[in-house]
Amino acid sequence: MNLVSIRDIYKDPKKYIDKEIKLGGWVRSNRDSKSFGFIMLNDGTYFDQLQIVYHDVLDNFEAVKKINVGAALIIKGKLIETPEAKQPFEIQASEICIEGVSAPDYPLQKKRHSLEFLRSISHLRPRTNTFQAVFRVRSLIAFAIHSFFNERGFIYVHTPIITGSDAEGAGEMFKVTALDLQNIPKTEDGNVDFLQDFFNKETSLTVSGQLNGETFAMAFKNIYTFGPTFRAENSNTARHAAEFWMIEPEMAFADLTDNMDIAEDMLKYIIKYVLENAPQEMKFFNEFIDKGLLDRLKNVLDSDFGRISYTEAVELLEKHNDSFEYKVSWGCDLQTEHERYLTEKIFKKPVFVTDYPKDIKAFYMKLNPDNKTVAAMDCLVPGIGEIIGGSQREDDYNKLLKRIEELGMDTSLYEFYLDLRKYGSARHAGFGLGFERCVMYLTGISNIRDVLPFPRTVGSCDI
Amino acid sequence: MNLVSIRDIYKDPKKYIDKEIKLGGWVRSNRDSKSFGFIMLNDGTYFDQLQIVYHDVLDNFEAVKKINVGAALIIKGKLIETPEAKQPFEIQASEICIEGVSAPDYPLQKKRHSLEFLRSISHLRPRTNTFQAVFRVRSLIAFAIHSFFNERGFIYVHTPIITGSDAEGAGEMFKVTALDLQNIPKTEDGNVDFLQDFFNKETSLTVSGQLNGETFAMAFKNIYTFGPTFRAENSNTARHAAEFWMIEPEMAFADLTDNMDIAEDMLKYIIKYVLENAPQEMKFFNEFIDKGLLDRLKNVLDSDFGRISYTEAVELLEKHNDSFEYKVSWGCDLQTEHERYLTEKIFKKPVFVTDYPKDIKAFYMKLNPDNKTVAAMDCLVPGIGEIIGGSQREDDYNKLLKRIEELGMDTSLYEFYLDLRKYGSARHAGFGLGFERCVMYLTGISNIRDVLPFPRTVGSCDI
């Protein structure tokens, strides 16, 4: 149809000024007087609207005057500079074709709606300013991540969603089955007969692609995953969803310091990319969602992330135990309140906490020479807490096997993983970035339901 | 650790020639004589190996001589030009550190292995030439797709994996549940009590993100999805997997012609990108996997795709009914044998077939004025058959509602979808590209199991 998009116009107005163009979009407002009217048109390609001026010379002037918010139009007209007006240019319409009307009960009238209400209409909320900004920035962050890793020669791996194993030996998993739930087949001894299921075994939705990712890192050196992961945890909080996306880079011949370096570079790259490519959206967040957002993000670009060991962090936090609901002591897992205190009050910038007690971390993390801690790292950021969790991996066959056995895990499920330590083992490290937390961090949006296009949470799976 | 990668060296050798560098990688072969030896080293970042020459001046010369295929090494040495030799340069090692040995039973010895055997060791096969090439090209294709859409301002949407509805009103779906399969709770009348399940309702794995994608297209104009999709179909063929990735662009204010234009541009963009960024890999496929691949792909770049209606295609195919197992007649669905005949024998290039009978296509496709066919398009390519399926969508509220009712579908599940036709409906179109089929098309690999990092097929869900 050769429509010009509003994005095209804002990117290079000179190309279109004083020319007859055609564009399609949706009505955000329509004001009219006797012989003329103004439509603010949004076509979804750009944050700002474009003003359309129309006159009673139009054949369908009376019909156009009655157009509701939300209607779809195809407009022909000339783009005119308007140096005196609020908008830098407007369209003088010569033809307005009503592509689709909007019924009078359209839920998105001009007034401001609460985020809670908008969650109940997830199929329409992308048409509001807030969600136009959120989901455009979400898309830009995803592209920034792919670009970052591609520029560095990392191979993108699609690790499997349906899995026969539990990557972390922890985390509640959704089951995947093709069995008839109404009539689950049972074996003679009364157990579920998974041999009759699609994969002839019990399967679940993945909680992490890391172990699979490691097999590729031991072949390609640098790889990353970017895919959906799942938790069947009954946590109804603003930070948890049952389905979320994760980025998991894994690097062979890399240690914990390399790991932190890449994580820091990646976060800075993302911030820089979004500030450059979504200035209107970021200004909007800074004004209406989270005042101070821009200063905070720019400050991150200009500073080195803090780096501190868990043991040092606990010493610092213990001095402030009065402020915490859960008191801190060596050996405890850090809660969000502790993480946020560290990054917001003590460091006032992102900080890596490293070398956690082995008992509160996963089996695959590399044991430090002290035999008490592992080469783990969590990256904490203001406003969120943990945004990245990672580690150097145990690369010693015997130590890994011992840990798997100590924890009573089923060794047979980890043979492939042990093989990586048997055939050309190399030091390697990686981390997981929660994609939605990253979007929250960059937009200031405080509820994970508002950065997921169609959130899945306890009791909620709409559309 | 500041390791130089083999990719870095091949990209800009001048930067490293005659310099002392450090690199890590895995041994592909190790030949030695009395006082010196040669190691072919691969570090996964580049298709070609790098030759390492070592001498008996090394402290650990005897140990290095005994190093097996598959071992991991960290090597210090000088990069030397070797204009007389097969390789353009080699490393003269001053230090070889054995990072990880390789046990003698390493399955990937120098001989050639069958693809079938390699499927049984999916955690090690990425270390072979074939799978280095396949998975690097897979990664490049993914990046090309993101770049293509990002350059055109399309918004990347993560449509949900867990869904409460069946996008196409067809296709067998995997169930997702957090219920205890051993003790499924039942209601008083004996049915599964889904109110006790995680989402308080019955849920499945998505077969398509299209319907959700449309809601975003009606807000952002141009969007695409790129995510995993699932089929619980008992098809044990070389072209079907239970879990595969799909790309689904959706464009508002676009018709079937726009749809074909974008699909054609996209495929050409991908081919061009891969030919430019993976010349070694593509040469390898052309020599060892599919002779004629390169000519075929280059031919695609230089030609316009064919475009033909289903009715015309059936007329052409009917003349060759002798060649087919399933005979063609108007109204029948085209089988792979027909699709391949059209694209391989008749057109000898990719071809779009359009305007199929409505009864063999999905409910959401736009009814043509003939009331018999819908504005559908399938893109067929040589060697594969259907690689893309798409359509213009029905944008008329009443026609869509009528079709949903005709097919006996549950209208209440599609209220959100009907809303898109109630509030600012606009002509729109989109398609689905099967990502694995695209990888097969570009590599010449004939079994989908060999382009999936960890294939999930009937009875098979390893690692």
Side-chain angles (χ1 to χ4, degrees), chain A residues 235-307:
Chain A
S235 336
N236 216 342
T237 80
R239 292 159 22 101
H240 290 90
E243 174 178 323
F244 55 98
W245 286 64
M246 200 140 69
I247 294 94
E248 297 183 283
E250 191 74 32
M251 296 151 282
F253 300 101
D255 58 21
L256 197 65
T257 302
D258 300 316
N259 210 17
M260 288 188 279
D261 290 346
I262 278 277
E264 181 169 341
D265 287 350
M266 181 194 68
L267 283 178
K268 287 178 172 170
Y269 184 100
I270 294 170
I271 293 170
K272 197 157 171 284
Y273 185 87
V274 170
L275 290 178
E276 279 171 11
N277 287 279
Q280 280 90 352
E281 285 81 356
M282 296 307 289
K283 193 167 154 266
F284 172 85
F285 292 131
N286 195 56
E287 274 172 35
F288 295 103
I289 303 288
D290 181 3
K291 289 189 204 314
L293 175 72
L294 284 178
D295 283 345
R296 203 162 67 231
L297 293 177
K298 283 173 184 162
N299 176 41
V300 169
L301 288 184
D302 296 334
S303 55
D304 293 329
F305 288 17
R307 299 190 182 193

Side-chain angles (χ1 to χ4, degrees), chain B residues 136-192:
Chain B
R136 195 185 322 279
V137 167
R138 184 181 166 106
S139 174
L140 289 169
I141 295 174
F143 190 71
I145 289 167
H146 283 299
S147 296
F148 175 83
F149 287 113
N150 186 66
E151 284 171 14
R152 282 153 190 77
F154 282 57
I155 297 294
Y156 177 29
V157 186
H158 290 123
T159 49
I161 312 303
I162 302 175
T163 174
S165 71
D166 173 349
E168 308 224 359
E172 290 180 65
M173 300 175 83
F174 287 103
K175 291 147 205 143
V176 174
T177 180
L179 294 176
D180 178 3
L181 296 184
Q182 187 68 37
N183 291 296
I184 295 278
K186 300 274 169 87
T187 58
E188 275 182 20
D189 50 0
N191 294 316
V192 179

Side-chain angles (χ1 to χ4, degrees), chain B residues 102 181 273 311:
Chain B
S102 175
L181 296 184
Y273 185 87
T311 303

Side-chain angles (χ1 to χ4, degrees), chain A residues 14 109 146 158 208 211 214 218 223 320 337 343 423:
Chain A
K14 289 211 178 67
Q109 299 301 328
H146 283 300
H158 290 123
S208 159
L211 304 198
E214 282 185 52
M218 300 310 278
I223 67 99
H320 304 277
E337 57 173 335
T343 178
Y423 307 119

Side-chain angles (χ1 to χ4, degrees), chain A residues 207-243:
Chain A
V207 296
S208 159
Q210 180 201 316
L211 304 198
N212 297 74
E214 282 185 52
T215 71
F216 270 64
M218 300 310 278
F220 287 100
K221 193 165 174 230
N222 293 327
I223 67 99
Y224 72 108
T225 73
F226 190 160
T229 48
F230 305 85
R231 295 283 187 287
E233 273 160 30
N234 205 340
S235 336
N236 216 342
T237 80
R239 292 159 22 101
H240 290 90
E243 174 178 323

Side-chain angles (χ1 to χ4, degrees), chain A residues 265-427:
Chain A
D265 287 350
M266 181 194 68
L267 283 178
K268 287 178 172 170
Y269 184 100
I270 294 170
I271 293 170
K272 197 157 171 284
Y273 185 87
V274 170
L275 290 178
E276 279 171 11
N277 287 279
Q280 280 90 352
E281 285 81 356
M282 296 307 289
K283 193 167 154 266
F284 172 85
F285 292 131
N286 195 56
E287 274 172 35
F288 295 103
I289 303 288
D290 181 3
K291 289 189 204 314
L293 175 72
L294 284 178
D295 283 345
R296 203 162 67 231
L297 293 177
K298 283 173 184 162
N299 176 41
V300 169
L301 288 184
D302 296 334
S303 55
D304 293 329
F305 288 17
R307 299 190 182 193
I308 187 177
S309 75
Y310 167 90
T311 303
E312 293 162 331
V314 165
E315 281 167 15
L316 285 176
L317 289 168
E318 275 176 328
K319 294 180 192 148
H320 304 277
N321 259 339
D322 290 349
S323 330
F324 302 133
E325 193 183 342
Y326 295 93
K327 308 303 168 196
V328 174
S329 66
W330 200 98
C332 79
D333 208 352
L334 299 184
Q335 306 294 320
T336 303
E337 57 173 335
H338 311 135
E339 293 175 344
R340 293 187 58 171
Y341 197 93
L342 266 174
T343 178
E344 290 167 17
K345 309 272 176 173
I346 299 180
F347 279 88
K348 298 184 172 61
K349 62 180 182 181
V351 55
F352 289 105
V353 180
T354 62
D355 303 298
Y356 285 73
K358 69 174 180 180
D359 293 328
I360 58 170
K361 287 292 181 183
F363 75 95
Y364 49 70
M365 297 192 180
K366 187 171 177 66
L367 192 61
N368 283 327
D370 64 13
N371 275 324
K372 285 196 312 187
T373 61
V374 288
M377 62 167 218
D378 280 1
C379 181
L380 316 177
V381 296
I384 306 278
E386 186 196 328
I387 192 170
I388 283 175
S391 72
Q392 190 170 337
R393 318 307 188 185
E394 184 56 76
D395 50 49
D396 182 284
Y397 183 93
N398 291 317
K399 286 184 190 163
L400 182 64
L401 179 61
K402 193 176 152 224
R403 191 70 184 140
I404 288 174
E405 287 171 348
E406 260 172 21
L407 293 169
M409 294 159 64
D410 180 353
T411 314
S412 72
L413 289 176
Y414 298 93
E415 267 173 31
F416 79 96
Y417 195 62
L418 286 159
D419 272 1
L420 303 180
R421 281 74 180 167
K422 194 173 162 191
Y423 307 119
S425 187
R427 73 194 74 179

